Amino acid sequence: MDDASDAASSKVAQTEQLAAGMPFNPTKAGEHGFANGAMPQAGVTVEPASRLPTGSTLSEANGSAKTGSVAPDGVNATIDSLDRVRVDSAGQTLTTNQGVKIADNQNSLKYGVRGPALLEDFILREKITHFDHERIPERIVHARGSGAHGYFECYDAATDLTMAAPFREAGKLTPVFVRFSTVQGERGSKDTARDVRGFAVKFYTDEGNWDLVGNNIPVFFIQDAMKFPDLVHAVKPEPHHQMPQAASAHDTFWDFVSLMPESTHMLMWVMSDRAIPRSYATMQGFGVHSFRMVNEQGSSVFVKFHWTPKAGTHSLVWDEAVKISGADPDYHRRDLYERIESGAYPEYELGVQVFTEEQAEEFSFDILDATKIVPEELIPIRPLGRMVLNRNPDNFFSETEQVAFCTAHIVPGLDFSNDPLLAGRIHSYVDTQISRLGGPNFHEIPINAPLAPVHNNQRDGMHRQAIPRGKVAYEPNSLAGGCPFQAGAAHGFVSVAASISSKEAQGKVRAKPEKFADHYTQATLFFESQTPVEQDHIANAFRFELSKVTVPAIRERTVAMLRNASEALAAKVAKGLGMDTLPDPLPKAMPDVPTPEVLKSPALSLLHRPGDGSLAGRKVAILVAPGVEGEFVLAAQAALLKQGAVARIVGPRIGPMATAAGDALDADASMENEPGFLFDALILADGALAIAALAQDGHTMEFIKDQFRHCKPILAVGESRQLLMKAGLPISMDKSLAQGGTGLIVAEAGAGDGAMDAFIEAMARHRHFGREMDPPLL
Ligand code: HEM
C-alpha cells in the first residue's frame, strides 16, 4: 500500500469515527418552546482525530506559488484587512489581467502599418472589453455620495445600556467607513441640491458589521415602507422628460406630498437650511427610527441615535447653493476630501436618547412613527463616544461605490423596533445590492467584509472569492465535527422577545396605529422652534419650490396643508405665490390631538449648535492684483493658516505678479476659476494699483456682492473700501473696525492684528444674517 492509499484509508476511518461521535443531534429537543427560543443553545462539536476527515482532498498539502498551503485551522482569509487587496504599481511593468507583460500599449495589432486591425489582438480586446463593463448600476436612491474611513472611540463603557462591542469599554476604538450622500439626484449630480443627506456609518466591530444607515434629518416623509417607491417615483426626475435633475421643485413631488399630510413635518426640515449643508462636517446625523439597545442581562431600552458635528451645524443659503452647483458640483465631495487631506478631520459625537417601553406608551406621539422626533427637552441625549474621519479612500469605486450599507446589519446588543418603515428597509438594502453589486457575494468585496470571523454554509453564486475547505456545506453535520456550529445565546445574536402591547388582541391587519394620524403637531413644533431668520428661509424655500409647480391646485393644496402647521407660514407662502385668498385648511385625520409635552425646542434650531468656533476646514479668498500690499497678504494668509483655515490668493489671473514693494506674489486661483461664493470669507487688501485694477474687473464686483448677499465676513483694508462702495454695499465709511456685528470690517491701512482678530472672530460666527434682505439689496 502506498502513502496515498494509507491516507485514504485513514480518512475513511477517521470520518467514520467523527460521524459516530455524534450518534444523534443533541440540540434538537431544545429547539422547541418559547423559553428555549429566548435562550438558544450552542451547537455541539466533535474534535476530529486529525485534519484529514474535514479536508476537501487528500492532495491539499501539495502546495505551489498559486495554491499556497493548506488553510490554517478555522481561518477565513477573505476578511483580512484591506492590505490584502491593495495594489501599488510603482516600478512595475504593464500587464494584461492574465499577468502577461504588454510590450506596446499605443497601437492595436494590424496587418501592416496601414493594414486592417486583427481580431486576434487579445490585448486590445481584453482592454476594450473590460472598459465596456466599467459601469455598474447606480444606487436606486442616494446615488450621489462621498466616503471616508475613520474610527469610533467609546467615551465610557455603556454596558448598562448595551453589550454592543463598540460601547464595551472606555477608549475602545472601532474602525468605521462613512458614506454621505444626496437622495434624489443621479450619480453625477450636484452636491448642493436641496435634499436630505444620507449619513451612513459602517462599524467594523469585533462581533460583526453594524450599519447605522441614517440621514441628516431625524424624521422622514412617510410612515410605512409601502409608500417608499411612490415617494421616490414622485421626487425623481419626471418619467416623460427626465427632468428636473436632483431637485424636488416640480409637480410630481408636491402633488404626492400634499396628498400625504404625514410629510408636513419632514417638509419643514427639508425646506429649512438643513437641506443645504455647508459641509458634511457641519451637519448632524440621525438614526431616524427608534432602535433598541440590549445589555448582558437581556434587558432592553429604546434609543434614538444622534451624531453631532464638533464643527457645529452650518448651512449654505439658497442663492449660494444654486451658484455653487454650477461652479463646483463636487463642492461637498471636495470639502470632505480636502479637510481630511489637510488634517482638519471631521469629527462627530454619537449620543442616544434612551427611553423605556413604559415611557414610550405615555408619550403624546408614537415612537414607531418615523415622522416624529422625541424632543431633546423630553429625553436628553446621552453621549457615548466620538467618530473621527481621518483617511480618504484610496479608490473611489472600490470603496465608496462598492460599499453596501444595510439596516439589517446589527450586532448583539442592538435590535430593531417595530417601526413599519424600518421593517421595509431591513428587506430592501440587501435585495437591491444583489443586483447593484452583481450577485449575492457582495459581502466579500473588501470594503464590505467584516473584521469579525465569517464562517457559514452559504456557497457558490456569482463572483465567489472564498475557497472553503472540506465537503460539508450544511448544518447539522457530523462529517465536519459539527462545524461551523451555532453560537447559542451566550455568544450569538438573539432577538429581543418583544411582545406587542395593545389593549385588545389583534390579528393580521393593514392599518396604522392611531397616533400616526397626528400629522401636524410636530411640524408646528419645528417651525415655532426656529429663529426668525430660519423661519424666513423656510418660507422662502416653500415659495421657491412651489413657484416651480405648474399646477395651481397643487400649490393651493400645499398651502392648505401648511395652514394646519402654521397660519403665519401659510400666509407668507401664499403671499409669495401671489395667492389673493388662503385656501381652507386641509381636513385633519385626527382633529383632537394629545397635548404635546414640548411646545418649543431650541435644540431644533441650526444656530443652537455653533460648534467649537474653530475655523478648521474653512476657505478664505484674499483678492489681489499687481501692486497689492504683499506683506499684508502673506501675514493674513499665515494668520488664517494658524487657525486651520485655507486662505487662497485670488487674482484676475493665476500666476506670479509684483507687489507694491516689488516682490513676487503668486495667485493660486483666479476670480474666474474660483468665484466668490465658493469661499467662506473675503479679504480685500490695500494697494492703489491693485485696487484700481480690481475696480475695472466685473468679477470683483460679483465676488464682493455674493459675499455680502450670502452674509459672509468681509475685511477691507485701507483704500480697498472703495471696492465695497463701487459694488454698492450699504456701509458707512467711518473706518471703524467692525460695523455693528454685521461681519463687515473696514480697517485703516496698517490696522494690523486688531483687524485680523476682528475678522477671525466674525468668521467664527460664520454668517451675519443681520444684513440679509428679501428681496436682496444687491
Ligand atoms: C422604506 C423606506 C426605505 C427604503 C425601501 C429604502 C431603500 C434604499 C435603497 C434601495 C437604497 C440603495 C442601497 C444601495 O444600493 O446600496 C437606499 C440607500 C440609502 N438609504 Fe434608504 N430606504 C428607505 C428609507 C430610508 C430612510 C428612512 C433613511 C434614513 C434613516 C434612509 C437612508 C438611506 C441612506 C443613507 C442610503 C445610502 C447608503 C449609502 O451611502 O450607500 N433610507 N435606501
Side-chain angles (χ1 to χ4, degrees):
M1 227 180 245
D2 61 26
D3 285 344
S5 60
D6 268 357
S9 38
S10 300
K11 180 167 179 163
V12 170
Q14 288 183 23
T15 301
E16 167 58 17
Q17 195 186 1
L18 192 59
M22 210 183 283
F24 64 96
N25 180 347
T27 56
K28 202 68 197 159
E31 289 171 15
H32 310 91
F34 185 84
N36 283 332
M39 286 295 288
Q41 354 155 44
V44 176
T45 62
V46 178
E47 185 93 22
S50 75
R51 300 194 79 206
L52 257 186
T54 56
S56 302
T57 67
L58 291 177
S59 54
E60 66 178 1
N62 297 336
S64 74
K66 178 63 189 167
T67 61
S69 54
V70 184
D73 248 353
V75 167
N76 175 354
T78 63
I79 61 146
D80 281 355
S81 88
L82 296 180
D83 284 344
R84 78 194 152 92
V85 281
R86 289 223 161 82
V87 180
D88 180 17
S89 298
Q92 301 299 312
T93 49
L94 200 63
T95 73
T96 66
N97 282 335
Q98 304 304 318
V100 175
K101 288 189 174 145
I102 297 175
D104 181 336
N105 191 37
Q106 318 307 323
N107 300 293
S108 45
L109 185 67
K110 290 167 297 199
Y111 183 76
V113 290
R114 302 189 64 243
L118 299 179
L119 189 60
E120 74 170 59
D121 188 350
F122 67 95
I123 295 177
L124 175 76
R125 280 179 29 227
E126 182 199 81
K127 187 172 177 179
I128 296 283
T129 304
H130 197 277
F131 168 78
D132 291 345
H133 299 272
E134 268 176 15
R135 295 284 173 276
I136 60 169
E138 65 174 32
R139 289 168 176 81
I140 192 87
V141 281
H142 296 261
R144 169 79 187 172
S146 303
H149 293 274
Y151 61 86
F152 174 76
E153 182 180 12
C154 180
Y155 289 156
D156 292 305
T159 41
D160 58 318
L161 285 182
T162 176
M163 59 182 157
F167 310 112
R168 287 237 182 105
E169 58 193 81
K172 184 172 170 99
L173 298 181
T174 303
V176 298
F177 186 79
V178 178
R179 185 172 176 273
F180 302 112
S181 49
T182 56
V183 179
Q184 304 156 173
E186 291 164 5
R187 194 165 124 182
S189 60
K190 63 195 177 192
D191 276 344
T192 52
R194 175 175 294 284
D195 202 351
V196 192
R197 296 299 181 288
F199 193 128
V201 184
K202 189 180 283 292
F203 293 78
Y204 301 93
T205 86
D206 304 342
E207 302 203 338
N209 285 352
W210 166 36
D211 295 350
L212 183 51
V213 198
N215 280 344
N216 75 329
I217 288 178
V219 287
F220 204 62
F221 294 98
I222 51 170
Q223 299 167 317
D224 191 298
M226 191 67 119
K227 299 311 296 171
F228 191 70
D230 298 293
L231 168 71
V232 174
H233 292 172
V235 76
K236 284 264 183 183
E238 295 184 12
H240 57 309
H241 54 24
Q242 197 64 7
M243 290 190 281
Q245 181 58 243
S248 52
H250 59 113
D251 288 354
T252 55
F253 175 71
W254 288 97
D255 183 32
F256 176 75
V257 291
S258 60
L259 293 168
M260 296 282 291
E262 61 267 50
S263 66
T264 314
H265 187 194
M266 178 69 169
L267 289 172
M268 294 283 180
W269 287 80
V270 178
M271 293 303 116
S272 80
D273 294 345
R274 301 256 177 186
I276 40 172
R278 158 66 183 85
S279 158
Y280 291 137
T282 62
M283 63 183 202
Q284 282 175 283
F286 304 92
V288 178
H289 313 277
S290 299
F291 289 89
R292 283 176 190 272
M293 280 189 156
V294 193
N295 64 18
E296 292 271 7
Q297 293 71 44
S299 58
S300 86
V301 282
F302 283 118
V303 291
K304 288 259 190 187
F305 290 104
H306 293 244
W307 292 107
T308 305
K310 191 176 165 204
T313 47
H314 301 286
S315 284
L316 302 171
V317 293
W318 177 242
D319 180 70
E320 182 187 14
V322 170
K323 288 173 174 161
I324 290 174
S325 69
D328 187 5
D330 305 310
Y331 187 70
H332 287 143
R333 178 174 292 177
R334 190 182 313 284
D335 176 89
L336 179 67
Y337 185 85
E338 287 180 351
R339 275 177 200 256
I340 295 175
E341 288 300 284
S342 69
Y345 300 142
E347 185 174 328
Y348 312 79
E349 182 169 85
L350 179 65
V352 277
Q353 288 175 290
V354 182
F355 47 96
T356 62
E357 184 133 27
E358 293 69 40
Q359 280 176 294
E361 300 254 314
E362 300 302 316
F363 292 160
S364 61
F365 50 89
D366 196 321
I367 59 122
L368 301 183
D369 177 355
T371 69
K372 306 287 187 339
I373 56 162
V374 178
E376 284 177 44
E377 291 74 12
L378 181 61
I379 303 286
I381 299 176
R382 169 173 162 180
L384 293 180
R386 67 179 190 131
M387 176 171 76
V388 179
L389 301 180
N390 65 355
R391 179 168 178 159
N392 278 313
D394 286 325
N395 185 274
F396 185 90
F397 181 84
S398 300
E399 299 172 78
T400 308
E401 198 59 23
Q402 293 201 111
V403 70
F405 295 93
C406 178
T407 42
H409 296 165
I410 55 170
V411 294
L414 298 166
D415 210 338
F416 310 112
S417 68
N418 290 337
D419 179 336
L421 192 65
L422 178 58
R425 297 183 70 198
I426 292 168
H427 160 75
S428 176
Y429 291 74
V430 172
D431 182 43
T432 194
Q433 284 149 4
I434 287 173
S435 59
R436 179 166 75 82
L437 297 167
N441 288 317
F442 60 87
H443 60 281
E444 292 186 327
I445 295 174
I447 192 69
N448 294 323
L451 289 173
V454 174
H455 295 280
N456 59 43
N457 295 311
Q458 293 170 22
R459 54 185 264 190
D460 306 349
M462 300 271 218
H463 318 302
R464 186 66 165 168
Q465 309 286 306
I467 305 176
R469 176 175 175 272
K471 63 180 175 184
V472 165
Y474 53 86
E475 191 275 343
N477 69 69
S478 66
L479 292 178
C483 297
F485 56 97
Q486 74 177 35
H491 303 289
F493 179 87
V494 182
S495 295
V496 172
S499 56
I500 298 166
S501 33
S502 62
K503 294 201 179 73
E504 63 247 44
Q506 294 182 343
K508 283 184 197 168
V509 62
R510 290 186 193 271
K512 296 182 178 67
E514 288 74 7
K515 285 187 206 161
F516 278 40
D518 176 7
H519 298 148
Y520 302 109
T521 304
Q522 289 206 351
T524 307
L525 169 69
F526 180 77
F527 189 70
E528 296 299 328
S529 303
Q530 304 300 300
T531 59
V533 169
E534 290 170 295
Q535 289 187 337
D536 284 348
H537 290 187
I538 292 171
N540 295 351
F542 273 110
R543 178 182 71 196
F544 171 82
E545 295 266 317
L546 291 170
S547 72
K548 294 278 197 178
V549 169
T550 64
V551 184
I554 297 175
R555 297 200 289 262
E556 276 165 34
R557 199 195 295 146
T558 308
V559 172
M561 184 165 87
L562 289 182
R563 288 195 66 182
N564 288 330
S566 165
E567 286 288 5
L569 174 65
K572 197 159 182 205
V573 174
K575 189 166 170 235
L577 293 170
M579 280 184 200
D580 292 335
T581 48
L582 279 178
D584 289 339
L586 285 191
K588 291 182 179 172
M590 185 188 236
D592 299 314
V593 296
T595 312
E597 298 80 0
V598 175
L599 294 175
K600 206 162 184 171
S601 169
L604 296 177
S605 160
L606 269 175
L607 305 179
H608 184 71
R609 293 183 167 85
D612 59 4
S614 149
L615 305 192
R618 313 269 300 286
K619 280 175 71 180
V620 185
I622 308 180
L623 273 198
V624 298
V628 72
E629 289 293 341
E631 214 173 299
F632 167 78
V633 170
L634 295 177
Q637 192 179 37
L640 288 164
L641 197 64
K642 216 166 130 199
Q643 301 286 328
V646 178
R648 305 282 304 269
I649 298 178
V650 185
R653 300 271 176 277
I654 59 164
M657 68 185 67
T659 65
D663 299 325
L665 183 73
D666 235 337
D668 61 81
S670 72
M671 290 192 280
E672 185 184 58
N673 78 6
E674 291 277 316
F677 45 79
L678 295 178
F679 294 92
D680 295 295
L682 171 65
I683 295 180
L684 298 169
D686 209 355
L689 282 178
I691 293 166
L694 288 170
Q696 296 307 311
D697 191 332
H699 288 117
T700 312
M701 300 307 130
E702 285 169 20
F703 220 102
I704 294 172
K705 281 182 193 171
D706 279 329
Q707 287 285 321
F708 178 79
R709 184 166 171 180
H710 303 151
C711 306
K712 296 168 178 173
I714 302 176
L715 167 63
V717 179
E719 288 308 304
S720 71
R721 66 181 182 279
Q722 302 300 340
L723 295 173
L724 300 186
M725 307 214 24
K726 182 150 197 236
L729 263 56
I731 53 163
S732 71
M733 290 290 108
D734 65 1
K735 301 179 188 172
S736 59
L737 267 188
Q739 304 249 330
T742 58
L744 269 183
I745 298 146
V746 183
E748 282 290 18
D753 291 350
M756 272 314 286
D757 289 349
F759 179 66
I760 285 168
E761 204 273 320
M763 272 192 74
R765 288 166 49 207
H766 281 251
R767 306 276 165 153
H768 297 266
F769 287 119
R771 63 166 114 114
E772 193 173 49
M773 290 179 211
D774 177 40
L777 188 73
L778 299 174

